[in-house]
Amino acid sequence: MTVVPLQLPRRLLEFTLDGEPTRVPEGSTILDACRAAGKDIPTLCEGDTLTPKNACRVCVVEVEGARTLAPACSRRAEAGMKVSTDSERARTSRKVVLELLASSTDLSTTPRAAEWIKEYEAKPDRFGPDAARVNETPKIDNDLYVRDLDKCILCYKCVDACGDQWQNTFAISVAGRGFDARISTEHAVALPESACVYCGNCIEVCPTGALSFKSEFDMREAGTWDESAQTETTTICAYCGVGCNLTLHVQENEIVKVTSPHDNPVTHGNLCIKGRFGYQHAQQRG
Amino acid sequence: MDLHFGDSEPTDEERAAVDSLLGPATSAWEGAADRSDVDLRWARGGREARERRDLLLPGLHAVNDRVGWISEGALAYLCRRLTVPPAEAYGVATFYAMFALKPRPAKVLHVCTDLACAGNGSAKLCADLEERMGAAGSVSDGVTWQSSPCLGLCERAPAALLLQAGTPSGTAAAQRDPRLRNTGAPALPVGPNETDEPVRAAADAEVTPIRADLGTADAPNGAVVTPPRAHTNGSSAEPALRRQAFAVIAPATVDTLVDAATAPEDAPEEPSAAMAVPQAGQDGLLLLQRVGVVDPFSIDDYRSHGGYNALRTAFDIGPAGVIREVTDSGLLGRGGAAFPTGRKWQATASQPDRPHYLVCNADESEPGTFKDRVIMEGDPFALIEAMTIAGYATGAHVGYLYLRGEYPRALHRLENALTQARLRGFLGDDVLGQGYAFDIEIRRGAGAYICGEETALFNSIEGFRGEPRSKPPFPAEKGLFGKPTAANNVETLINVLPILTMGAEAYAAIGTENSTGPKLFCVSGNVERPGIYELPFGATLGELLDLAGTPTDIKAILLGGAAGGFVRPDERDIPLTFEGTRAAGTTLGSGVVLVMDDTVGLPRTLLRIAEFFRDESCGQCVPCRVGTVRQEEALHRIKDRTGAAASDDVALLREVGQTMRDASICGLGQTAWNAVESAIDRLGAFK
């Protein structure tokens, strides 16, 4: 059960969403309003525990009178605003953004990417066989997690989670510019030489699987990763007195991954190296 | 913060470079070589150091300027001094084109291959250079060369800029006083040879790092004021061998380039800024009246030509009066967006949050634009005065002048102008005895077009990657350092001077109803008299072209730079006003008028524009980061095709272009397709 903290009541404001009058609490984003109204807007760089970076632009919607489209994840609803989520312009932009992403990066482990590509009739192949790709090989420089930048869409979530929004470790940043920009440590040194503390909070927020547990990466390579055969059990970490919730992902009686519920008021999805990776003792059965 | 600096140590030279900006390290916590007993008891750095994060970019410049590149040890030392995580500093350093993080020679030759230079033989120049000095990026005789985006020297195309890293004299370091931002007042030490009358004969080669202004045509007395270093220790021990130097070579030939690369000190003098103003000295000019007329090194000369009258008027009518005049004048921003300046100032001035900041956007990088450079080189005090007025009106006590990194001569002259203005009480705690404190700090960009976008510029000054922020909130509410900020272009600011001296009504009578005042146009390409022209708004394109003298065989005219659009040579009747160009389906942008014959050919020109946007995209949002790449690829495929063979790719370009325009975060992505679209629709490219 999640504790819902009491807040001062917020005033409601009214605006038009796809022709329907909609009332949302002041301060809500357009995305909040869409979700409350049961509308499914694709999102990638938006994270429920992070400040919207609005970098991926797959959630753009059309606001009447605005010169450009607005990112639903960060634009706040204003009284009297007229928003259409499904206009021709918004759909075209979402489609092309999906095409641009899928033609330059590997979206094979991005949840729902295939579904959106189908829904928007995106054709990533239209840019031809010579279209430039990110072309990175997985960086395996430690025993805990793998960085496969070929799958990275540069959503900045890992940087924000590592930096001032959660962990305050600042081990990674975006380096370079434009199409050559990459998530990197200083001078691209291996993770063990960097400031990384292996909390794994970057993996927790990664929307594409570019960052993954080594256990998951190895099983995917071996073809044994099977999410449908996994169970999830939420328990409490026993390492210290903070009381973080752990969700153990178990396949064939082995823990393959550990996450934390994002709505948990203690962790907000974040853990430390012990909670996230220190589960081997539970599997010592000999 | 889990700071982790690694084991790399800075060399003595790198340490001296950082210390010349920040002062010597006072404790082992900050990277001082010796640990004292006190260091074992109290930690240093922390919040106090973190609040100096904005010195990261000047620190990177200090190392790059002295050594030529930034090593792991140098970056780690700078990070230690400022309590900045090395990963973040690495992200910042790799953002800028002028910084290298791999060893490279002290001398780097930047050869412009952008639009105006391409029309004037830069391709041949590069080919010849390749023969003499090897391929771009290779090292020969301690020099490397690389092609460069527009260097803002379009009137003298083809152009090149040689930068030599080495030890500086005191000028640059002393100007960048780290305390400036906190106190709102300058803490510039007064040197032994500075009296009330600035010493103008101190132009001794020994103490002058930057040679290009000595004895130039527009400054016959070689006026250079050299304040001493803010911090001198560390510098005495270093071997004083190679001096920092630059040479601007324009128009360039392969011989002059090779000569300049061999001995930058002996390169021929750069012509006076007035050479870029064909109208120089004519009556009736308002913005260019002093360029080529006054000595850009002399505040007295500036004053004897009407300088500082506008500031006195401003003090007479008060801040609200200034804003009223500027609003009534109808002045619209000249940087490209044409936002009403009076409204911007009013919005900033009325914010209760303090402090307020003023930012002058002098990061002129739009291909084909060079007006701000000519003003800053030819009439630098005018900009200082205008910034003071803007600061006064908006309630700011500190102004930041964000200057393009590729403008060393403008930097030198502005630094001199600031020093003189401070000495004479035109800047400082008590400007003109009116009880108003104001000072200006120059911040240099480092080769990133995107930093001309105002919120990217704020991030750049603050020591972060120059990535645009999403708006709202707008700068008037949350700008530089999260405080209310008025950000204006150089040309916009200097328009304030005639507004105050002649009055809003007289100013508004110039031009048209919706575009008031005079406008500067940067005319370059295939014209007889390229340069900056000042015309009242409302003149037609044809009138401007007649002034500049166009050959008969022109094929296209690019208005507004790479982010602008092409028009046909027969569209001479387009009125050069904001509303007139809009009605004609094009844009005035920053005032670029680039005239093209068919030497380069339209498809190649479009490809160059697409390359420019691909190189300059910051990479933050997907439509721009990948879209600019796909745009270039498509243009590459169809560069030799027309008709049906090109139609699929033209359709692709349209869709990608529309998405960049609709879904990109900032103006760069939103305009990256403008020129290509106009070439297809207006000029019939690929038909």
Side-chain angles (χ1 to χ4, degrees):
Chain A
M1 193 199 87
T2 304
V3 181
V4 179
L6 284 177
Q7 292 175 337
L8 286 173
R10 287 194 290 176
R11 263 188 300 193
L12 295 179
L13 58 82
E14 190 170 316
F15 75 106
T16 313
L17 183 62
D18 289 334
E20 300 283 326
T22 308
R23 283 157 70 86
V24 290
E26 219 171 30
S28 305
T29 62
I30 296 174
L31 186 66
D32 294 335
C34 289
R35 286 183 173 162
K39 291 180 193 294
D40 181 29
I41 307 265
T43 57
L44 286 168
C45 73
E46 185 264 351
D48 52 357
T49 62
L50 296 163
T51 307
K53 180 72 184 162
N54 59 66
C56 75
R57 320 302 278 188
V58 292
C59 71
V60 286
V61 294
E62 188 163 354
V63 177
E64 196 178 285
R67 187 171 48 87
T68 56
L69 301 175
C73 65
S74 66
R75 177 62 60 84
R76 297 199 185 282
E78 291 162 30
M81 211 178 208
K82 289 198 172 99
V83 177
S84 41
T85 62
D86 231 18
S87 70
E88 179 71 32
R89 231 176 123 199
R91 284 189 74 90
T92 305
S93 274
R94 273 185 229 153
K95 180 193 80 159
V96 175
V97 165
L98 286 168
E99 287 173 340
L100 294 173
L101 277 176
S103 64
S104 56
T105 50
D106 172 6
L107 297 184
S108 62
T109 53
T110 305
R112 301 196 64 193
E115 175 195 331
W116 291 327
I117 285 175
K118 204 168 158 210
E119 182 191 337
Y120 287 91
E121 294 171 11
K123 297 183 186 65
D125 296 339
R126 66 200 287 226
F127 301 113
D130 299 329
R133 295 187 61 87
V134 168
N135 273 343
E136 295 275 348
T137 47
K139 292 182 195 300
I140 309 171
D141 53 16
N142 65 85
D143 295 335
L144 300 183
Y145 58 97
V146 175
R147 295 177 289 155
D148 185 356
L149 297 189
D150 206 40
K151 294 176 173 170
C152 174
I153 58 162
L154 230 59
C155 70
Y156 290 65
K157 276 165 135 176
C158 55
V159 176
D160 287 347
C162 187
D164 59 358
Q165 291 194 26
W166 291 116
Q167 188 61 28
N168 269 299
T169 290
F170 298 93
I172 47 174
S173 166
V174 181
R177 193 168 76 190
F179 197 70
D180 299 326
R182 298 284 185 275
I183 305 292
S184 174
T185 57
E186 65 272 20
H187 309 285
V189 297
L191 223 43
E193 272 105 77
S194 77
C196 178
V197 295
Y198 302 95
C199 62
N201 293 333
C202 52
I203 309 175
E204 182 76 47
V205 296
C206 179
T208 64
L211 299 171
S212 64
F213 274 63
K214 179 99 172 8
S215 49
E216 175 177 346
F217 181 84
D218 289 344
M219 288 171 75
R220 280 188 190 273
E221 291 282 287
T224 54
W225 181 260
D226 182 5
E227 231 150 275
S228 62
Q230 290 171 10
T231 57
E232 293 180 16
T233 309
T234 299
T235 177
I236 294 177
C237 180
Y239 275 108
C240 76
V242 170
C244 301
N245 277 20
L246 305 178
T247 301
L248 308 176
H249 298 243
V250 177
Q251 182 178 336
E252 289 169 16
N253 211 25
E254 294 281 331
I255 299 170
V256 293
K257 174 163 102 170
V258 178
T259 59
S260 181
H262 288 196
D263 58 358
N264 182 289
V266 177
T267 69
H268 297 283
N270 298 291
L271 292 170
C272 73
I273 181 172
K274 290 183 280 186
R276 189 152 332 248
F277 294 107
Y279 54 78
Q280 286 79 4
H281 68 283
Q283 304 182 159
Q284 297 284 328
R285 299 193 182 88
Chain B
M1 247 185 225
D2 298 313
L3 292 170
H4 180 97
F5 296 110
D7 301 325
S8 312
E9 289 292 326
T11 65
D12 289 349
E13 201 182 18
E14 288 162 349
R15 189 182 282 271
V18 174
D19 289 354
S20 72
L21 177 76
L22 302 175
T26 53
S27 74
W29 292 96
E30 287 195 303
D34 299 319
R35 190 193 320 216
S36 69
D37 288 349
V38 179
D39 291 339
L40 298 174
R41 291 170 187 268
W42 289 287
R44 296 280 197 89
R47 181 188 298 277
E48 198 184 322
R50 274 202 301 281
E51 283 173 355
R52 301 193 297 174
R53 169 79 186 241
D54 63 295
L55 292 174
L56 180 60
L57 184 56
L60 293 169
H61 266 303
V63 175
N64 199 67
D65 284 351
R66 182 164 316 195
V67 189
W69 67 286
I70 300 161
S71 72
E72 286 186 33
L75 192 72
Y77 179 61
L78 183 60
C79 288
R80 224 182 254 277
R81 295 297 313 275
L82 297 175
T83 315
V84 172
E88 284 207 349
Y90 179 74
V92 172
T94 51
F95 188 82
Y96 297 99
M98 289 173 78
F99 296 145
L101 285 110
K102 300 253 158 57
R104 71 171 175 188
K107 284 186 276 193
V108 181
L109 181 63
H110 302 260
V111 183
C112 179
T113 56
D114 226 315
L115 304 175
C117 290
N120 284 283
S122 67
K124 167 99 171 53
L125 188 64
C126 287
D128 292 347
L129 205 55
E130 206 167 310
E131 229 165 72
R132 297 274 290 272
M133 295 174 59
S138 64
V139 179
S140 77
D141 282 341
V143 190
T144 182
W145 74 278
Q146 59 193 56
S147 62
S148 160
C150 182
L151 290 170
L153 295 160
C154 316
E155 85 279 12
R156 283 180 278 144
L161 170 69
L162 184 115
L163 296 173
Q164 172 173 294
T167 48
S169 82
T171 0
Q175 294 287 343
R176 293 189 226 109
D177 191 297
R179 288 162 292 179
L180 184 60
R181 179 161 66 81
N182 300 330
T183 59
L188 190 78
V190 175
N193 57 0
E194 285 169 1
T195 59
D196 284 340
E197 278 303 306
V199 178
R200 300 188 56 233
D204 170 352
E206 258 324 281
V207 297
T208 307
I210 300 170
R211 51 127 281 274
D213 280 313
L214 298 181
T216 50
D218 56 332
N221 296 329
V224 176
V225 175
T226 310
R229 268 169 223 251
H231 309 286
T232 49
N233 86 315
S235 55
S236 53
E238 88 216 23
L241 292 172
R242 196 184 55 238
R243 287 274 172 199
Q244 237 173 65
F246 73 87
V248 172
I249 312 108
T253 64
V254 69
D255 290 326
T256 53
L257 287 186
V258 172
D259 288 349
T262 316
E265 305 79 15
D266 301 332
E269 297 301 344
E270 195 186 343
S272 147
M275 295 295 286
V277 182
Q279 298 164 310
Q282 281 180 19
D283 284 343
L285 298 177
L286 289 174
L287 308 176
L288 299 173
Q289 54 176 323
R290 280 179 294 261
V291 176
V293 176
V294 297
D295 175 358
F297 290 91
S298 165
I299 196 167
D300 293 320
D301 209 20
Y302 176 66
R303 290 175 67 195
S304 68
H305 286 85
Y308 282 108
N309 286 345
L311 182 60
R312 285 179 207 284
T313 310
F315 282 131
D316 286 346
I317 61 178
V322 175
I323 293 179
R324 194 180 55 240
E325 287 291 302
V326 172
T327 307
D328 290 350
S329 75
L331 175 64
L332 301 178
R334 304 291 200 243
F339 190 82
T341 306
R343 256 170 64 195
K344 190 185 271 187
W345 287 10
Q346 179 61 49
T348 310
S350 61
Q351 292 289 327
D353 197 8
R354 287 284 187 278
H356 293 183
Y357 289 108
L358 173 76
V359 169
C360 170
N361 184 347
D363 191 46
E364 175 176 69
S365 320
E366 184 67 51
T369 315
F370 49 104
K371 60 191 171 70
D372 296 348
R373 172 181 62 81
V374 171
I375 291 165
M376 291 186 287
E377 289 182 354
D379 195 9
F381 290 99
L383 181 58
I384 307 293
E385 182 185 356
M387 282 182 71
T388 312
I389 295 168
Y392 177 66
T394 56
H397 296 287
V398 179
Y400 284 89
L401 202 170
Y402 189 89
L403 179 67
R404 190 170 182 205
E406 290 90 340
Y407 281 176
R409 184 157 82 161
L411 171 70
H412 182 45
R413 293 185 177 183
L414 287 166
E415 282 183 340
N416 170 70
L418 285 183
T419 309
Q420 290 205 26
R422 282 180 193 133
L423 286 169
R424 297 300 197 79
F426 289 102
L427 288 174
D429 287 338
D430 189 10
V431 175
L432 285 179
Q434 298 284 329
Y436 168 62
F438 186 72
D439 210 314
I440 294 171
E441 191 174 349
I442 299 176
R443 288 301 172 96
R444 279 160 72 199
Y449 169 73
I450 187 61
C451 290
E453 200 280 340
E454 57 188 2
T455 57
L457 190 158
F458 300 154
N459 276 340
S460 180
I461 292 181
E462 290 179 29
F464 295 91
R465 290 165 58 81
E467 292 169 354
R469 305 172 183 170
S470 53
K471 293 187 263 193
F474 290 94
E477 194 188 332
K478 286 192 190 310
L480 185 62
F481 302 111
K483 298 294 179 184
T485 303
N488 293 108
N489 173 261
V490 173
E491 186 189 344
T492 313
L493 285 170
I494 60 156
N495 268 282
V496 173
L497 305 180
I499 289 171
L500 290 188
T501 47
M502 65 200 284
E505 205 177 317
Y507 179 92
I510 305 168
T512 64
E513 195 185 333
N514 293 317
S515 303
T516 56
K519 174 80 189 95
L520 299 181
F521 296 98
C522 313
V523 186
S524 64
N526 303 107
V527 293
E528 284 154 29
R529 290 174 295 280
I532 306 291
Y533 289 84
E534 176 182 329
L535 292 175
F537 268 117
T540 63
L541 179 59
E543 286 165 21
L544 177 63
L545 293 180
D546 288 343
L547 273 178
T550 46
T552 48
D553 60 342
I554 59 174
K555 296 287 183 228
I557 299 150
L558 180 62
L559 294 184
F566 287 98
V567 295
R568 294 185 308 272
D570 60 9
E571 296 183 276
R572 295 170 54 90
D573 294 336
I574 295 178
L576 296 174
T577 57
F578 292 117
E579 67 277 11
T581 46
R582 204 177 301 130
T586 181
T587 175
L588 204 55
S590 55
V592 171
V593 177
L594 206 149
V595 180
M596 292 170 32
D597 60 16
D598 55 1
T599 37
V600 179
L602 194 54
R604 306 269 162 190
T605 304
L606 296 181
L607 201 49
R608 182 66 187 100
I609 291 175
E611 273 171 20
F612 174 80
F613 283 113
R614 181 210 58 198
D615 285 346
E616 299 296 339
S617 167
C618 77
Q620 188 180 203
C621 69
V622 175
C624 176
R625 178 176 77 234
V626 190
T628 52
V629 173
R630 298 289 177 253
Q631 171 171 276
E632 189 203 349
E633 287 168 353
L635 286 169
H636 208 81
R637 279 195 294 272
I638 58 173
K639 65 179 188 294
D640 300 317
R641 292 191 210 159
T642 50
S647 62
D648 281 359
D649 277 315
V650 169
L652 184 83
L653 279 168
R654 274 189 206 285
E655 215 169 295
V656 172
Q658 191 59 42
T659 302
M660 288 199 282
R661 181 176 292 160
D662 279 345
S664 296
I665 292 177
C666 80
L668 189 151
Q670 288 162 11
T671 58
W673 141 256
N674 281 5
V676 181
E677 183 188 38
S678 68
I680 292 171
D681 290 344
R682 247 185 148 98
L683 304 180
F686 312 115
K687 218 174 199 171

